[in-house]
Amino acid sequence: MNNYKNPWDKRLADAGVVEKTAYVGEVNFNYAEGPDNGPALLLLHAQLLDWYTYSEALPELSKHFHVFAVDYPGHGKTTYPDDYPMTANQIGNDLANFIESVIQEPAYVTGNSSGGLLTTWLAANKPDLVKAIVLEDPPLFSSEYPEIKQTIAYRSFTTSYNALQTGYHNDFLGYWLESSKTFFTNHVGPFSEPIIAFAVNCYRDANPGEPVEIVYLPPVVREMIRGLNYYDPRFGSAFYEGTWNEGFDHTEALQKIQCPALLVQANFEILDSGILDGAMSQEHADKAVSLIPNVKYMKVDSSHVVNLEHPDEFAKILEDFFLED
């Protein structure tokens, strides 16, 4: 198990998807690029994850698009200066520069969760670079203050903030494992955290510098472990402190979007405590639809990361929307 390699590595290679890096200004972007089989498609993963969350959808998407799945700053193997501002405006501008210098043509863009917020930013602020967008369960309005405090995601942002305050020894995955016993009890099973922590340490020892692959975990948890191995808690802390959205008002941004847009909403629940367990309530989704001038709406029976839980359905959604006559 300590030498396990994800079988999708070979399937991605067979599809012509290659991991690359490119310096754009002060950011060295890590990304996966497929063959030039159609229009450019930029994919922006959820917070805590990395580009590999799209691995099971990329072979199909690569048949119809020229795919670019990017680790945006704070995630994956993308690197940047130590004082890099973790804000939508900074990351959005750098992603726009990535489109201009690497993709070199206007692109279709889709993003999940925080990636959906960045997709919104791009469509609103760089319309010449964006042909159409699919917003995959983005936390519109719910990640703005004061509503962010009434979301289950606020726990994760608090963990990021606390890690920076108490010192996490540049090992956020280890810190998160120790701080998230309830998460593992709910998503894996009782007393699973020490077993997973042991497996992570063994895998790291056997595969230094490689993505962490723990084969027996549920897919979303497995990808979170992989993503958290690289994650910069300054990204989550910026949500906790409210600085991530500075200069990025969700209402104003949605009203500025002129390109065709599809809002995909996944399942959510309002807990007895009033906390939102999910990215958007129905009220949030309805408000977003009312603000975007040229929008379609779709509700899917899925958890938050649709592209990971239902990769075939996700690929079909993109193909049907972006490639419709």
Side-chain angles (χ1 to χ4, degrees), residues 25-216:
E26 292 187 312
V27 178
N28 187 18
F29 278 102
N30 186 74
Y31 65 101
E33 180 180 354
D36 187 357
N37 288 337
L41 170 62
L42 175 63
L43 301 106
L44 302 173
H45 55 79
Q47 187 171 172
L48 305 180
L49 305 179
D50 68 352
W51 75 262
Y52 203 85
T53 184
Y54 293 108
S55 58
E56 295 186 31
L58 284 177
E60 169 61 25
L61 291 171
S62 293
K63 298 176 184 176
H64 307 281
F65 298 95
H66 187 180
V67 297
F68 296 83
V70 179
D71 293 338
Y72 51 83
H75 300 78
K77 300 175 187 175
T78 289
T79 60
Y80 41 84
D82 290 341
D83 60 351
Y84 184 87
M86 291 296 175
T87 66
N89 283 340
Q90 181 67 55
I91 299 170
N93 272 302
D94 284 327
L95 286 170
N97 292 336
F98 179 89
I99 295 174
E100 289 184 313
S101 63
V102 178
I103 299 179
Q104 298 184 343
E105 65 175 286
Y108 294 117
V109 185
T110 182
N112 177 217
S113 196
S114 297
L117 296 180
L118 291 167
T119 300
T120 300
W121 190 97
L122 285 167
N125 294 287
K126 301 291 182 178
D128 293 344
L129 300 177
V130 179
K131 297 167 68 173
I133 59 172
V134 172
L135 302 174
E136 182 191 346
D137 209 34
L140 292 163
F141 315 116
S142 64
S143 58
E144 294 182 301
Y145 268 86
E147 289 189 60
I148 191 172
K149 293 187 176 182
Q150 296 301 310
T151 67
I152 201 164
Y154 193 67
R155 299 175 188 173
S156 174
F157 304 146
T158 303
T159 300
S160 293
Y161 175 82
N162 288 340
L164 294 172
Q165 301 309 305
T166 60
Y168 65 103
H169 306 294
N170 292 318
D171 180 14
F172 186 69
L173 174 55
Y175 182 92
W176 186 81
L177 288 168
E178 178 64 27
S179 305
S180 305
K181 291 181 172 64
T182 300
F183 173 87
F184 287 109
T185 297
N186 293 338
H187 291 85
V188 182
F191 313 111
S192 57
E193 182 272 333
I195 298 172
I196 295 171
F198 177 77
V200 166
N201 289 330
C202 290
Y203 194 93
R204 282 173 157 177
D205 289 343
N207 305 274
E210 294 296 315
V212 176
E213 299 277 7
I214 309 299
V215 61
Y216 52 77

Side-chain angles (χ1 to χ4, degrees), residues 46-49 53 56 112 176 183-184 187-188 217-228 302-310:
Q47 187 171 172
L48 305 180
L49 305 179
T53 184
E56 295 186 31
N112 177 217
W176 186 81
F183 173 87
F184 287 109
H187 291 85
V188 182
L217 294 175
V220 171
V221 180
R222 186 176 67 240
E223 291 303 313
M224 282 185 66
I225 294 290
R226 175 191 170 99
L228 285 162
S302 172
S303 63
H304 181 46
V305 188
V306 182
N307 66 78
L308 183 58
E309 183 170 333
H310 302 289

